[in-house]
Amino acid sequence: MGFFPTLAALGIGNKFAAAGAAIAALGYTSIAGGHVSTLRALIMVLAYAIAILIDRSRELLASVALAAMIKCFALPGSTADIGFQLSFAAVLVILVGMRRFAAWWRARFRPPALAGMCSRLGVIAEAIAGYVAVSFWALLGTAPLTAFHFNQFSLVGLVANAVVVPIMGCGAVICGL
């Protein structure tokens, strides 16, 4: 919005960003197909973007619930699908877990007396710790389901999610496009 200072001054930059995110999510879904996790992500992005566009409160857990309800109404037997269970379990545990992690990080490493003084090293450390924490919460959310359905779960997911997923995601998207 730096190129449009009048619009930035009006405070509608977030509305443009939300509309752009919705368009990008629709484009990605049209390319990736209608898999459970893709449709869940699309519904969540659209719900969040619409909330921003109409100036309503934004709640990620509500968008997950909306995605689950829409998916269940559209395909009533989808809850028995392991893809549905893994997708929603991982996202729910990541959302709740990262809220706890963020509160713990702030209390532990950013005391109120130093709240205004964030060093670059501190910001980088928080980003790296958050990145690893997402992998931890995803593993924690999916481990019971994979243990139940497949009689095993892997701790390699901590490293694989943090290293392989971004590499494959960027590589696959770039090569695919």
Side-chain angles (χ1 to χ4, degrees):
M1 293 309 297
F3 293 114
F4 306 102
T6 306
L7 294 177
L10 293 173
I12 58 173
N14 60 345
K15 291 182 190 261
F16 280 104
I23 291 168
L26 285 166
Y28 177 78
T29 302
S30 68
I31 293 170
H35 302 289
V36 174
S37 59
T38 309
L39 292 175
R40 178 204 32 81
L42 174 66
I43 294 167
M44 289 178 63
V45 168
L46 291 178
Y48 203 81
I50 290 169
I52 290 172
L53 290 171
I54 63 173
D55 292 323
R56 298 289 181 192
S57 65
R58 303 172 288 279
E59 180 58 44
L60 287 172
L61 289 176
S63 68
V64 174
L66 177 66
M69 288 189 313
I70 290 173
K71 188 72 176 162
C72 287
F73 285 136
L75 296 166
S78 63
T79 55
D81 179 36
I82 184 66
F84 177 94
Q85 295 171 8
L86 287 171
S87 178
F88 282 93
V91 169
L92 282 171
V93 173
I94 288 170
L95 289 176
V96 173
M98 288 308 290
R99 283 185 181 176
R100 301 285 298 169
F101 171 79
W104 172 80
W105 187 273
R106 278 191 301 272
R108 180 86 166 101
F109 296 106
R110 280 196 274 156
L114 303 175
M117 301 172 52
C118 287
S119 70
R120 256 187 204 175
L121 187 59
V123 170
I124 291 170
E126 184 175 0
I128 292 170
Y131 187 68
V132 173
V134 168
S135 292
F136 169 76
W137 293 116
L139 177 70
L140 192 68
T142 58
L145 289 169
T146 56
F148 177 75
H149 287 286
F150 306 116
N151 296 323
Q152 63 182 1
F153 71 92
S154 176
L155 295 176
V156 174
L158 284 172
V159 176
N161 283 336
V163 176
V164 176
V165 170
I167 292 170
M168 290 304 294
C170 291
V173 170
I174 291 169
C175 291
L177 293 176

